[in-house]
Structures are given as C-alpha cells and as structure tokens.
Amino acid sequence: MIDVLFGTRKIPSTRCGAKIKVGRFLATTWSLDSQKKTLTLTYMSCQSIHLLRHRIVQIQRAAVSKLSLLVCFGLTALHLHGQPSPTADQKFWTPDGPINSILVTNNTVYLGGDFSYLGPRTGPAVVFDQTTGQFLFSPQRISGIVKAIVPDDAGGWFIGGTFTRIGDVAITNIARLNSDLSLDTSWNARMVGTTVNALLLDSGRLYIGGQFTRINGQTIGNLAGVNASNASVAWNPQLSGTVNAMRISAGLLYAGGSFFSVGSSNVQNLVAISTATALATGWNPAPDAAVLALEVLGNTVYAGGQFSTIGTRPRNRLASVDATTGIAFQTWNPNPNGVVRAISVVGSTVYVGGDFTTVSAQNRRGFAALNSGNGAAQALNLQLESVTTANLVRSILIQGNSLYVSGLFTNALGAPHLMVVGIDIPSVTALPVPLASDFNGPFGAAFGANALAIANGKVFVGGDFFSFGGVARQRAAALSLTTGAALPWAPKFSAPVLSMAYGTNRIYVGGSFTNVNTTNFAQGLVAVDPLIGDLTPFNFLGTNLSQNVSIRSLIVSSNTLYVGGDFTIVGSQPRRFVAAVDPATAAPNAGFNARLGGGFSGINAMVLAGTNLYIAGDFTTVNSLAIPRLAAVSRTDGTNVNWIPNPNQSPNALAATADTLYVGGLFSQISGVALKNFAAFSLPDNSLLGVDAALPPFANGVTAIAASPVTLYVGGSFDSIGGEFRFNLACLASFNASAYDWDPAPDQPPTVITLTDDRAFIGGPFRFLGRSPTNTINAFLAVFSRAPQFIQSSLSPNNIHLVTTTGDRTDAVLQAATDLAGPWISIATNDIPGFRWTVDYPTISPPQRFFRTVAR
C-alpha cells in the first residue's frame, strides 16, 4: 500500500491496480517501480489508451513502511489544474505609464508607478457632452483606427478608418453606429480595401473616400457614393489612387488625395466630379503632390497638403484655387513651412492645421487663423505644444463660436490638453473637454485624435488613442474593485512609486520620491489616508548619505512594518537595506538588525513565511556571515537562519505559500544547482525542490511571481517556460512548474503580479497583450478572472449540456437555482481538476433554472 502525492493532492492509501485520478482522466491501472523511480499509468482519453511513465523525484520510506511519492510530471504530463480567464477584464481603468506596485484591500485596488493619468479603456472613439465636457460613452472596442466621422442625421454616426472588428463583430473600415454608439449590425458595406480616410453625407448618400477596391461585391476605385440606408452602391467614379478629403458644392464633389485619373479623365490629386453622373469635370488644378485637406466657399477651393505647386503657381502646402478656372489666386499665399492636414472656413477666416511652425511669416505651431482675402495671420494662437511636429493638428471643427482642434499635442493655451482642445473663439478661453491619454506607443504619426464631428450637442472624437474621460493622477491611484473606475484617492508623488502595503487606516507608499502632494518632504516612504490620499502622521527618517532613498519592498505584520530598499541609516540608527519600524511612528525597532554588508543597490524583494523574513537583493553578508543576495533572517530580531542558497545573481522576485518559497531573478545557479532564473524551496527545511521552470538559455530574467497553493503566476523576459511557448507571462503548476494553456503574451515583462481570491492583477510597462498580428492594446494593467467560468451551454429535449472550467483552482462545484436570489443547490462536483468540465443536467420543472460554478 502506498500514498501518492500529485503536487499537493494526496491519493489515499490504496493497492496497485486500483483506479486513480490523473488530470482530467481516470487511470484504470497503474504500477510502481521504486528501483527505477517510475510510476506507470494507463488511462483513457478521447477513446484511446495511453501509457505514461512519470519520473519520481523523491522517495521517502515512512515510519509505518509506506512509500510517500512526490511525482514530478514531465513535459508530456497532463495539466492537473485549471487556468485563469484567457481575456483581460476591460472594466478596470488603467494609467498612462508603468505600474510598479498593486495593492488590493477593502474593495479597492491601489496602483503605484510612474504615470500622470488614469482612465477608462474607451478605445479610439468617444462621445462627450458639448456643454459640460463630460464623457458620455464609447462604442464597443474598435480593433484599429478611426479616421473619419459624420453624423447620419438620424441620431447615429458613420465612422471610417482602418479597422476589422467592432466588439465581437467582424466589419471592415466603415460602419454605422446607433445613437448610443452600439453597432448597427444591419448596415454593412462589406468593404474590401485598406482604409477609409474621408466621409461625407449629402442628400441621403454617403460618400466614402480612401483606398479600397470593392463595396458590397461591386468593383470600386477608392471613391464611392452609397445609399446611406443600406450601403448599396449608387455612385462610382472609378478613381485610381487614394482619396484623403472631400467637399460638396453646387452639385460637384471635390476630392483631394494622391491619384492620377478619375474614370477616363486624367486628373491629378484634386478633382471636381458631378454628383449626378459620377464624371469628372474639366477642372484640373493638378497639384504636384498629395492633397490632405479641402474646403469650398463660394467660388474658392482651399486645398492643403504636401504639394509645392498647384493651379499653375508655386504654392507650398496651402493654396486657394478658383473653382471655375482651376488657377491659384495670386494674392493668397500663406506659405506654411510644414504639411497642412486640416482646413475649415467661416466667414472671412480660414482656419488651418498641420505640422507647420510658421505661416504667413508668423510663428504659429500647428494651427493658424488666416484672413481669407490676403492670407495674413490673425491674432488667434492656440500655443500648441507637443513632443513632435508630425501630425500636430489633424482635424478642425467649428460650430457657432466653438472651435475644436484635434491631433497629437499635449498642451494648448498654456495648459494640459492632450489630443483635443475646445476654444470659445470670441474670448479665446478653453471649453470643457474630457481628459484623455494616448497609450498606444511613443508619440508618432500613427497616434492621436484624427477626426471630429458634432450632432445634437454631442462631440464625437475618433483616432488612434486608448482612453478618454479619465482623471489626473500623479504616480498613485485607486480603483473600485466593483466598478473598476477611479476613486478619489489621489496623492501626488514627485518620483515613481515602487511599493505599497496596507496598515491600520493607512496605506504605506514607498518609492524614490522626496515630495508628496507638492509640498511635503519625504524620504521615500510615507503613510497615506486610504480614502482621500492625505498624509497621516508618520516620519520615516531613512538615508544613505549619498542619494535619494528608494524603498522597493514593504510588508506589514501585526505591529511591525518591514522596509526594504537602499538606505543605510533609519532614524539615526544603522540599518543597512532592511529595517523593522513602528507602523505608527516609523521609529526603527531597536531589537531588529540583520546587519547586511556589501553590495550597493539594496533590497529588491521581501516575503514573510512562518518565523522567517526572506530578503533578496544586492548584499554579500548577513550578520557578518557570507550569505550573498538571498537570505532568511528571524522576523523578530534579524538574526540569520542557517541557509545559504548563494544565487550567482541578485533575485528580483519572491513569493511564498504555506510550504514553498519561490525565487525569481537573473541567476543561472542557486544552491549549487544550475537553474535558470527560477527556483523553489521547501519552507520547513529551506531545501531546494526539484522544480525547474525550464526557462531557455537566452531568457533575461524573472521579474514577478505570485503564488497560490495550486498555481504560480510568473512574469519575466522569456519566450518559453514550463516546456511551452509562453511570452513574458505564464501560469504554471505549483508543484512542477509545467505551463498551462494560458498565454496572454504581454509585449514587455510584468513588474508586479497580485492575486485575490478571484482575480489576478498584472502590472508593468507593457502596452499590448497577445502575439502579433492579433495582439490588442491593454496598457500597463491587465486583470484576469481566476474564478470558474462557463464556456458554453446547449439545450436538448432531455438535457441541458453545460461546459465549464475550474478557473485556476483544483476543483469546482456546479450549482443550480430557480431564482438568482437562491437558494443555490450543489448538483455536481468536479474533483478532477482540468481545463473543461462537462455536465448534462436533466430538463425538469420548473423550466426556468439558473446555473453557476463556484470554486471549492
């Protein structure tokens, strides 16, 4: 008789040949060869028989002559536990910069890092109230870029751009949205092409310009007019090239772009086409490069773009052209020194936007108001600021006295205005516009706000951005665990936040800052009110006498706050890199001193386990004994524990369960064993466990670990782990580090992973999840459900067929109720952990029945 341990699951004493559970399957026979240290199991899966031999890494003879087996499954072993949700929860707002610390307590998610904004994940299209500037709503996630918007005159909107999906619906480059921005699934142009750059609605016909070849099965040449009600093609001039801008006047559609013919007419880059016949007129100003912006007023066509000649005259990027002759007007030549991308004309003023810094011999960065008669620059100056001049202004919208400008700027009129600014023209004062952030990448041509439209008091903004309607937050923020939205907690830190911990009626915040809330002096550690973010009495006096202190790790336990960083003195007492302080006063505990020596950068990570405090970082001695980089000390007085794992590089991450310590970093050897970046130790005796994450030789370190009794979350710089291809983040079996199917694949290694009972919070410098080309923008925070989930359900005459998962737990219970308020009755238990679980439940009265799965 033997006891078999599968990870932490013990198979009761039984005889060889009896049935045992293995992963999702039932082994019909099994046998043990203790000499060869193998366990042979025969089990059935998918109607076929399989034989596996699993290597036994440890055999111990019990006092009563039983064998206790710790079985380590090889790479062909079955997964023994479930995994988290494959997709991140989008309800949680996210900051505009990296997250270094996540603390979840009291229904609140506290974030610390290096950011200045926190906002909802709106994606590249939003609507806000023109009067109040309040963010109203956004459509379901648009997988791409919005470049053009036009109201549909029925409360909804047409949008165009470069996208392939809205929510769960596949739709290419053009769509109609209802008044609440939900997708009108009955309207689909079935476009084949690259992009839509311009939209225009006139007399029930929607004109579409861009780069495409088919609409609703009909061959199209980049410019079309479709019936606004059903997208059927009604007008097809067959243009060869790309259309960027359109205007209608006097029965003619003026189109600007980069093209060389329309139908049988050889016209270049700017054309007038009859809306009745779809034939080009003889009007041909022939600009020598692309036209990006158009406006028509009376007999004048204003054109902007990249050209240097137009209408037979030299004109740099901006011109007014006679609508009859096609000749550029002699007296109008503002001569901007950069590309013009937007034009709007009201009365005697021509508003222009683009990449220029001078126009009409005046300094105007990205935007100017010009006299329509002589082109002179008027006084209006938005004082736009940006880190680049590319795509500085892309759209101009005027309604009455309200002027809206969008593009890729950070400030206007001397104040922060990211991507969109509203101006009251007579007073030159800012109009209310929601705060926004561009998370998608470094500032460049592809990012920012591209298009603006107004209808019924609502302003629609489209572009390639991630968030509108957020709040300013300086390196610290709090989210509601229930709604995912920002809470009022808003302390302001002068430098990045690196660590946080919860104490009685306070949040301890550590980092490399010296000032909090703009005026308060602090040495890298403060205590903050958990509701509003005001400082509470707490005066940490840590210094290293050479530079600002950085506090990288904090732990609160009963009446002690453990602090790890690069300080050498705390409150005039020598405390090198680690200290225990009074959580109320920050006074150092006189009885605790680990006396670390050597090194420079100090502590990277700490974890408490039992009576020991485990510390990792840059040091070489503990209490004068040679114990480099990783050590265990008494949590009461800091005396060293007899344990010298001696990693050859400093670990970056520590995590512990009740019986195991997990260590991650850049090391390649630890406890005399070659292990790449990851190791596990038994807490009862600090012995190295035979757990190898199988990181490849070129892996560049483990940066974050979180552990539960059955699963590990590991972040780092790798493209495989646990014997599977996983990119930078993985969920592993806790007992042998084999990888589960979960593969969120952030584009940068996470720096922090925090687990709650039902969620995994991942933070770091990443911007995308998933592998190209199907990756999605996520930006710095990803939250995954750990709870059991329904995969599918179906109904037959006799059964309800349910498929669910166990989440990342060992098992789950399926429950049923006749009312959502309960009571819930357990009808089945899944005690064979695995990815999927199928139950057929009889269809009995009453016909209404609710089901749920809960972790056990």
Side-chain angles (χ1 to χ4, degrees), residues 91-425:
K91 80 175 182 181
F92 288 93
W93 289 21
T94 187
D96 64 347
I99 293 173
N100 300 320
S101 181
I102 301 174
L103 172 66
V104 185
T105 184
N106 295 332
N107 206 41
T108 301
V109 183
Y110 295 93
L111 307 175
D114 191 10
F115 49 82
S116 59
Y117 168 91
L118 184 75
R121 304 168 187 270
T122 61
V126 296
V127 167
F128 66 87
D129 185 272
Q130 184 181 3
T131 301
T132 65
Q134 180 181 359
F135 166 73
L136 297 177
F137 38 71
S138 59
Q140 287 184 289
R141 183 73 197 192
I142 298 173
S143 61
I145 303 170
V146 175
K147 296 184 177 182
I149 308 165
V150 64
D152 69 355
D153 293 341
W157 313 80
F158 291 103
I159 63 170
T162 304
F163 51 83
T164 57
R165 185 174 293 273
I166 298 179
D168 294 329
V169 179
I171 190 164
T172 302
N173 297 345
I174 186 166
R176 182 187 176 275
L177 304 180
N178 298 311
S179 59
D180 62 355
L181 297 196
S182 62
L183 177 66
D184 180 358
T185 55
S186 67
W187 197 96
N188 193 341
R190 294 175 178 83
M191 176 175 287
V192 177
T194 304
T195 187
V196 169
N197 296 323
L199 295 173
L200 192 156
L201 183 66
D202 183 73
S203 302
R205 182 183 292 173
L206 178 67
Y207 294 92
I208 308 168
Q211 196 169 29
F212 46 87
T213 57
R214 297 181 75 83
I215 289 179
N216 274 322
Q218 185 168 332
T219 301
I220 300 291
N222 309 303
L223 177 62
V226 303
N227 190 309
S229 63
N230 60 18
S232 61
V233 176
W235 186 82
N236 185 4
Q238 288 296 330
L239 180 144
S240 298
T242 302
V243 173
N244 299 319
M246 299 182 295
R247 288 292 184 268
I248 282 184
S249 178
L252 296 176
L253 182 136
Y254 293 86
S258 179
F259 51 83
F260 54 87
S261 70
V262 176
S264 60
S265 300
N266 294 323
V267 288
Q268 178 179 307
N269 301 333
L270 181 58
V271 65
I273 307 171
S274 168
T275 57
T277 66
L279 298 176
T281 69
W283 187 77
N284 188 12
D288 64 346
V291 172
L292 303 175
L294 280 178
E295 188 62 276
V296 181
L297 184 65
N299 197 47
T300 302
V301 177
Y302 295 91
Q306 298 169 318
F307 51 83
S308 58
T309 63
I310 185 174
T312 72
R313 290 196 168 99
R315 290 291 185 271
N316 287 323
R317 309 174 189 92
L318 180 62
S320 63
V321 179
D322 190 299
T324 302
T325 66
I327 304 299
F329 287 107
Q330 179 70 37
T331 59
W332 205 84
N333 186 11
N335 194 33
N337 69 342
V339 175
V340 172
R341 301 180 184 275
I343 303 175
S344 185
V345 181
V346 177
S348 61
T349 303
V350 181
Y351 300 92
V352 297
D355 304 349
F356 51 82
T357 56
T358 64
V359 61
S360 295
Q362 300 293 316
N363 293 324
R364 295 290 188 272
R365 187 176 175 87
F367 174 87
L370 308 175
N371 185 283
S372 61
N374 58 19
Q378 298 183 358
L380 180 62
N381 186 352
L382 299 187
Q383 305 168 47
L384 298 179
E385 299 177 28
S386 175
V387 296
T388 178
T389 58
N391 288 269
L392 187 59
V393 169
R394 305 177 193 169
S395 183
I396 298 172
L397 178 64
I398 299 175
Q399 187 180 73
N401 289 325
S402 298
L403 163 69
Y404 292 94
V405 176
S406 72
L408 188 60
F409 45 83
T410 58
N411 292 68
L413 298 177
H417 291 279
L418 186 66
M419 297 186 288
V420 178
V421 62
I423 302 293
D424 177 71
I425 297 174

Side-chain angles (χ1 to χ4, degrees), residues 653-657 660-664 678-681 691 705 707-708 712 734-735:
L654 299 176
T657 60
T660 307
L661 171 72
Y662 298 97
V663 182
F678 180 88
F681 293 86
V691 177
I705 305 174
S708 76
L712 295 172
S734 60
F735 68 93

Side-chain angles (χ1 to χ4, degrees), residues 502-706:
Y502 177 71
T504 304
N505 297 322
R506 56 181 56 189
I507 304 296
Y508 297 100
V509 182
S512 53
F513 48 83
T514 56
N515 286 280
V516 185
N517 295 335
T518 69
T519 58
N520 298 286
F521 182 77
Q523 285 282 42
L525 177 60
V526 293
V528 182
D529 178 275
L531 297 179
I532 59 176
D534 289 344
L535 292 182
T536 61
F538 183 82
N539 189 19
F540 177 73
L541 299 176
T543 180
N544 56 26
L545 303 179
S546 62
Q547 60 185 14
N548 294 335
V549 167
S550 291
I551 304 301
R552 301 187 189 92
S553 186
L554 296 169
I555 301 174
V556 176
S557 180
S558 61
N559 294 320
T560 303
L561 170 64
Y562 296 94
V563 184
D566 60 2
F567 50 84
T568 57
I569 295 174
V570 176
S572 76
Q573 296 187 28
R575 293 292 186 276
R576 198 163 193 271
F577 301 160
V578 62
V581 304
D582 187 299
T585 66
N589 183 337
F592 180 96
N593 192 351
R595 297 177 177 84
L596 301 184
F600 176 75
S601 59
I603 295 298
N604 297 326
M606 302 188 301
V607 68
L608 278 175
T611 60
N612 294 340
L613 173 67
Y614 292 85
I615 55 177
D618 182 20
F619 55 86
T620 58
T621 63
V622 180
N623 290 307
S624 300
L625 295 177
I627 308 177
R629 306 181 189 92
L630 178 61
V633 300
S634 166
R635 64 186 297 170
T636 56
D637 59 12
T639 55
N640 58 285
V641 175
N642 185 24
W643 178 56
I644 308 178
N646 193 26
N648 62 343
Q649 295 287 336
S650 297
N652 299 315
L654 299 176
T657 60
D659 56 4
T660 307
L661 171 72
Y662 298 97
V663 182
L666 267 170
F667 53 84
S668 58
Q669 188 175 52
I670 191 167
S671 290
V673 177
L675 281 175
K676 182 69 173 178
N677 299 346
F678 180 88
F681 293 86
S682 171
L683 285 174
D685 59 5
N686 287 329
S687 62
L688 182 68
L689 297 175
V691 177
D692 187 351
L695 287 158
F698 45 83
N700 200 29
V702 167
T703 54
I705 305 174

